[in-house]
Amino acid sequence: LPEPGTVEFKDVTFGYPGAEAPVLSNISFTAKPGQTTAIIGSTGAGKTTLLNLIPRLYDATEGEILIGGVPLKELGREAISQNISAVPQRPYLFSGTIESNLRFGAQDAEEEELWEALRIAQADGFVSEREGQLESKISQGGTNVSGGQRQRLCIARALAAKPKTYLFDDSFSALDVSTDAKLRAALVEPTKDAAVIIVAQRVSTITDADQILVLDHGEIVARGTHEELLESSETYQEIVTS
Ligand code: M5T
Ligand code: MG
């Protein structure tokens, strides 16, 4: 059996209910623990849709998705939520405290572990400056923190859960380039045994990924490392120079 956390797509096709054309066609790849798999492609290419199939927000129309060698449909909701942390493209905070938001998926974490997750996510600074710190109130939807702070709190929440698989949907886009770089450097150690899948807009976010999938109109049109794709893929070259 593949290692726990491994994500396998086998010839996956998906169309939204009621839509005529599929949004994803014949997607096959393996994201292994200890590796970063990046997905890049223009807006509407199907990147979010692809990620959302992994925690079963939708089910594949054709083909199969397996986690650690087990088909998603046999895994059950509980195993999926315990093993996968997803940071969505529009990260969401609940009304409550920073602590209650971080504990979603990490109920038993020590307070020190929450701070560690905040440090990695480059969020410890602004949290420690807020009155009440971990007890500081978050309004519904997180409207009383900035977009970049919301994104970092959601990354900290994902880290606190210590999953085997991480899904980051454009999670670094609201960060300036220097915070983005610091955060990704800090992520290396805590995610080193996990499968990490990153959807990115900026090529600089993914140049060191173990494999990059180039998605175009719902199909993987090229795959490889940054250096390989610079040589082989016109679509990738266009993304790099755009
Ligand atoms: C891919 C359509 C969307 C687009 C295609 C989420 C969603 C998407 N779509 C629906 O019909 N219903 C939905 O609920 O699917 O969209 P995506 O996966 O959101 O693309 P992306 O993540 O690569 O785009 P972006 O802008 O985040 O870079 O035709 O209309
Ligand atoms: Mg998207």
Side-chain angles (χ1 to χ4, degrees):
L1 223 60
E3 280 180 76
T6 307
V7 177
E8 288 170 275
F9 272 59
K10 292 188 171 168
D11 220 8
V12 169
T13 292
F14 173 76
Y16 283 97
E20 273 172 34
V23 169
L24 296 171
S25 303
N26 307 106
I27 302 291
S28 295
F29 70 91
T30 302
K32 292 184 184 146
Q35 295 197 345
T36 297
T37 298
I39 302 170
I40 199 158
S42 53
T43 178
K47 305 181 296 295
T48 293
T49 305
L50 190 161
L51 280 194
N52 284 349
L53 293 177
I54 301 171
R56 284 192 75 186
L57 270 62
Y58 300 97
D59 283 327
T61 317
E62 286 171 50
E64 200 174 33
I65 300 169
L66 305 96
I67 306 283
V70 182
L72 270 184
K73 287 180 182 173
E74 290 171 24
L75 260 181
R77 297 277 167 198
E78 188 133 335
I80 289 173
S81 64
Q82 276 171 8
N83 290 308
I84 301 172
S85 281
V87 181
Q89 192 165 15
R90 281 173 203 79
Y92 194 81
L93 296 174
F94 313 101
S95 95
T97 61
I98 287 186
E99 176 162 353
S100 65
N101 270 280
L102 294 176
R103 284 192 182 282
F104 184 82
Q107 286 79 5
D108 302 328
E110 304 285 338
E111 202 170 298
E112 183 45 42
E113 293 177 285
L114 301 182
W115 279 108
E116 179 58 17
L118 289 168
R119 274 193 289 278
I120 298 160
Q122 313 295 306
D124 54 317
F126 74 82
V127 172
S128 62
E129 280 164 19
R130 285 175 76 95
E131 198 179 320
Q133 301 196 338
L134 286 177
E135 294 311 312
S136 142
K137 292 271 183 293
I138 295 289
S139 53
Q140 185 70 27
T143 48
N144 61 338
V145 295
S146 78
Q149 291 174 339
R150 193 149 65 226
Q151 213 161 26
R152 281 176 279 166
L153 287 174
C154 287
I155 292 168
R157 172 200 284 158
L159 286 160
K162 300 197 164 91
K164 296 189 175 73
T165 306
Y166 286 91
L167 309 177
F168 295 109
D169 192 350
D170 205 11
S171 304
F172 313 106
S173 62
L175 309 175
D176 59 70
V177 173
S178 121
T179 308
D180 176 6
K182 269 192 223 156
L183 201 162
R184 283 179 302 99
L187 276 177
V188 171
E189 172 61 27
T191 62
K192 71 179 188 328
D193 298 322
V196 178
I197 305 181
I198 296 184
V199 165
Q201 297 284 347
R202 273 201 288 260
V203 170
S204 66
T205 306
I206 56 152
T207 43
D208 51 3
D210 298 284
Q211 83 175 320
I212 301 169
L213 311 175
V214 183
L215 203 62
D216 190 24
H217 293 94
E219 291 182 45
I220 297 176
V221 295
R223 67 180 80 205
T225 62
H226 176 68
E227 285 71 25
E228 287 163 357
L229 288 168
L230 282 178
E231 292 279 319
S232 66
S233 168
E234 274 181 37
T235 314
Y236 191 71
Q237 288 160 10
E238 279 166 26
I239 293 166
V240 170
T241 51
S242 68

